[in-house]
Amino acid sequence: MAEILTVLTYKSAHHIVADGGTQSWVISQRRARRCTYVVCVRHQHGPYKAEGSEPHKHAFLVGRVSDVVPSSETKDRFRVEISEYAIIDGPQIPLNSASPTQYFPSLSSIGIDEASLDWKPSRDIPGENISASRLSLSIPKSGQVDTGNGEGVATMSVIMQAKKLVSDGLQVPLSAVEIIVRG
């Protein structure tokens, strides 16, 4: 039976799924790759403001581990990628060390019923209608986007609106969002 990895995180389920996993962990890549699941546990008392309202040390997301790769955020740390996820409400996880990562023998050993999990593909971000969020724009060389009502909108206006949507949706500053258009 493969172990499971638990991670104590301030990031929201939306943030984790949008990133394709959870990252910046000091873990053994080899050991974590052998895990079937990663369980994300709410960290309400850390240096960063929690992005969720779950009680401290309560599980809120189970992800099916697809790979463990170097973190894109922090050198010498790892990212646990997930192929599927299930949103859960608890239980409180019996974390017994100062480390934000711990291994357990199974989901049932921490009070999670594997059979009751409602799995979703990681491309389906919680709280979003994915099919409605896909947008395709064709921007002509004139620098104007046709809105369908005969009026043109400046390309930069469309980009700023898109940056604002991404910023609001991911709860990050507008300055953290970059959109690159290649023509």
Side-chain angles (χ1 to χ4, degrees):
M1 180 183 306
E3 290 180 302
I4 62 154
L5 170 65
T6 61
V7 296
L8 191 64
T9 180
Y10 75 93
K11 293 179 181 176
S12 68
H14 184 280
H15 191 149
I16 292 164
V17 176
D19 280 352
T22 180
Q23 68 178 326
S24 295
W25 301 111
V26 177
I27 54 177
S28 161
Q29 183 181 30
R30 191 169 145 187
R31 184 176 182 185
R33 276 188 171 152
R34 290 193 308 257
C35 292
T36 305
Y37 303 111
V38 60
V39 177
C40 296
V41 179
R42 175 57 58 226
H43 190 353
Q44 288 287 2
H45 304 145
Y48 302 105
K49 183 179 184 302
E51 295 176 354
S53 60
E54 301 86 2
H56 187 61
K57 294 187 178 179
H58 273 66
F60 63 93
L61 181 143
V62 178
R64 192 178 306 272
V65 175
S66 60
D67 202 359
V68 179
V69 298
S71 171
S72 62
E73 292 180 345
T74 311
K75 187 179 181 197
D76 298 326
R77 293 182 179 223
F78 292 95
R79 166 189 172 91
V80 180
E81 295 182 339
I82 59 174
S83 58
E84 296 178 289
Y85 70 95
I87 301 294
I88 61 173
D89 183 13
Q92 183 167 340
I93 304 301
L95 302 175
N96 56 14
S97 79
S99 174
T101 61
Q102 284 188 244
Y103 295 89
F104 290 91
S106 64
L107 289 174
S108 61
S109 71
I110 56 172
I112 298 173
D113 177 17
E114 185 176 351
S116 70
L117 297 176
D118 180 21
W119 293 103
K120 296 184 178 10
S122 60
R123 69 179 177 276
D124 291 352
I125 300 172
E128 269 189 29
N129 178 345
I130 295 302
S131 61
S133 70
R134 303 257 190 259
L135 176 65
S136 176
L137 290 176
S138 176
I139 301 175
K141 298 260 186 242
S142 69
Q144 298 283 313
V145 176
D146 185 3
T147 60
N149 64 1
E151 297 177 20
V153 175
T155 303
M156 288 310 294
S157 173
V158 171
I159 292 172
M160 285 307 296
Q161 288 175 28
K163 283 181 71 167
K164 175 109 175 74
L165 285 170
V166 171
S167 171
D168 292 348
L170 296 178
Q171 300 173 345
V172 297
L174 190 60
S175 61
V177 178
E178 292 183 43
I179 296 178
I180 299 171
V181 178
R182 293 186 173 91

